[in-house]
Amino acid sequence: MIRTSLLALLLAGSATAALAQTDPHAGHTMPAAPAAADPHAGHQVPTEPGAAPAETAPPTSADPHAGHQMPAPAAGAPHAGHAMPAAPAAAPADPHAGHAMPAEPPAAADPHAGHATEPAAGGQTGADLPVGNAPPPEVIRDSVADRVFGRDAMARARSILENEHGAARVSKLQADLLEWAPDGDRYGWEVEGWYGGDINRFAFKSEGEGQSGEGVESAEIQLLYSRAVARYTDVQAGVRYDLEPRGRAYATVGVDAMFPYWFEAEGALFLSDRGDLLARAEGSYDLRLTQRLILQPRAELEFAAQDIPESQIGSGLSSAELGLRLRYEIRREFAPYVGVSYERSIGDTADFVRAHGEKAESTRFVVGLRAWF
């Protein structure tokens, strides 16, 4: 009986102690179940090409007890009566987080970039300045070399320098044709020469032909003043005198030129003391087959303004001479040659020639020498 009463008391005390251990979450409002996690949470949204990267706010740590109702401290709790600190406030979310920020528009181009700006109003430029009328400075004549070497010695040196650079006087004698034709035993010549500087020169020319045993048939000489008027052109004026077939003087004006590709040409007008007007044109070209072997075609035309019966010359184109000569330059100034020459009287001139019992045309084989000194 006594054992039964003790057992009942022990069971009642155990039940009372169990009821005294209160549930710490009793009376709490349980939060709603968390929403499903965003699969792109924490990912950086890609931006469009050229756009500035979006600014992303740093993640804030969630309060594990946010929304919980804190129970009153149980009796005997170690923190009973303590004031619990408030949970830290969450940082405000960036309203532009995850947005693609547009790129800044490019700066507008300056419409005047690269333009020469005009001077400010009232300013002056070089063109606005008045033209000066001050006298030029005096020429400096005091030479240091005169003090070192002496004035007389330097004057001689300057004179030599001037002569060597354009003021020198030089001369040349050239025989373009010195030839003989075995058929008919005929001979002919064309010689010219000059003396002077680069601009002004004295020139002379002579040409003629004859036959062995009969003497000179025609011969002339020209004395000319020659002046360079262009790089390769000289204008000439002077007198011409015919020695054969009869003496006659002419006033002469002509031109001597070299054209591109080394074509040489001459032209002249002759007015005789009797009023006869003649003209002559001739040209040649050196075709270099080798450095020393040269083929030269030549042509010469004679004209007259009127008939001159005593000289067997008719008006218009009176005669033509064509030649082809091949020379070998043993030295530049000494070159023997062989060739062929064709002559023909034309128009009234041919009639005059035939009236004197001569042929109006002829072809000759020639040998000769071209030389200059």
Side-chain angles (χ1 to χ4, degrees):
M1 184 67 179
I2 296 173
R3 292 180 179 179
T4 304
S5 299
L6 290 174
L7 181 57
L9 290 173
L10 288 173
L11 293 172
S14 299
T16 303
L19 293 174
Q21 295 179 356
T22 310
D23 182 6
H25 297 288
H28 288 187
T29 303
M30 297 303 290
D38 183 3
H40 299 290
H43 290 187
Q44 183 175 357
V45 180
T47 60
E48 296 182 1
E55 297 180 359
T56 305
T60 57
S61 57
D63 183 5
H65 299 290
H68 291 189
Q69 182 179 355
M70 300 303 294
H79 298 290
H82 290 186
M84 297 300 291
D94 183 3
H96 299 290
H99 291 185
M101 300 300 291
E104 295 184 2
D110 183 3
H112 299 290
H115 291 184
T117 57
E118 297 182 357
Q124 283 187 334
T125 64
D128 297 327
L129 299 177
V131 178
N133 56 3
E138 295 184 2
V139 178
I140 299 176
R141 302 183 183 278
D142 183 19
S143 174
V144 177
D146 291 346
R147 295 198 296 267
V148 176
F149 300 102
R151 186 178 297 276
D152 294 340
M154 288 307 302
R156 290 192 298 272
R158 294 188 186 99
S159 177
I160 294 172
L161 183 65
E162 181 181 358
N163 288 333
E164 292 178 349
H165 289 269
R169 297 291 182 265
V170 293
S171 62
K172 183 178 182 180
L173 176 62
Q174 177 170 316
D176 287 326
L177 300 178
L178 290 175
E179 63 188 27
W180 172 67
D183 184 16
D185 199 17
R186 299 183 62 85
Y187 57 87
W189 74 90
E190 283 191 20
V191 179
E192 64 179 347
W194 52 265
Y195 171 81
D198 293 337
I199 305 299
N200 301 300
R201 296 176 178 177
F202 164 75
F204 76 92
K205 300 178 181 180
S206 177
E207 65 178 76
E209 61 182 3
Q211 186 173 4
S212 298
E214 296 185 7
V216 177
E217 296 178 354
S218 65
E220 69 177 53
I221 186 170
Q222 300 180 41
L223 301 178
L224 307 168
Y225 163 71
S226 179
R227 180 175 176 83
V229 295
R231 183 171 297 179
Y232 300 109
T233 304
D234 293 352
V235 172
Q236 301 173 336
V239 296
R240 161 189 164 183
Y241 187 76
D242 287 354
L243 302 174
E244 293 293 343
R246 56 186 53 83
R248 185 165 295 180
Y250 298 83
T252 303
V253 60
V255 62
D256 189 345
M258 178 178 290
F259 294 100
Y261 303 101
W262 304 94
F263 285 94
E264 296 187 13
E266 297 181 24
L269 292 174
F270 309 102
L271 181 61
S272 74
D273 52 0
R274 297 187 179 184
D276 301 327
L277 182 62
L278 306 177
R280 177 184 298 159
E282 56 184 303
S284 64
Y285 177 71
D286 285 351
L287 179 61
R288 292 188 174 272
L289 305 179
T290 68
Q291 289 294 322
R292 296 184 179 274
L293 192 62
I294 300 168
L295 183 65
Q296 184 191 64
R298 295 173 60 92
E300 181 175 329
L301 303 176
E302 298 273 359
F303 303 87
Q306 64 285 308
D307 290 339
I308 310 175
E310 63 272 20
S311 299
Q312 301 180 23
I313 296 175
S315 61
L317 177 60
S318 58
S319 64
E321 179 181 351
L322 304 177
L324 188 65
R325 295 167 175 83
L326 180 66
R327 71 176 184 267
Y328 181 80
E329 293 184 342
I330 299 174
R331 299 180 61 181
R332 295 302 182 194
E333 59 269 29
F334 188 87
Y337 65 83
V338 295
V340 61
S341 175
Y342 172 79
E343 295 183 17
R344 179 180 175 83
S345 298
I346 301 171
D348 293 341
T349 303
D351 295 338
F352 290 135
V353 170
R354 294 189 187 99
H356 284 75
E358 300 176 4
K359 293 182 180 180
E361 61 180 321
S362 64
T363 302
R364 298 192 300 267
F365 171 77
V366 297
V367 295
L369 177 68
R370 182 180 188 268
W372 56 269
F373 307 94

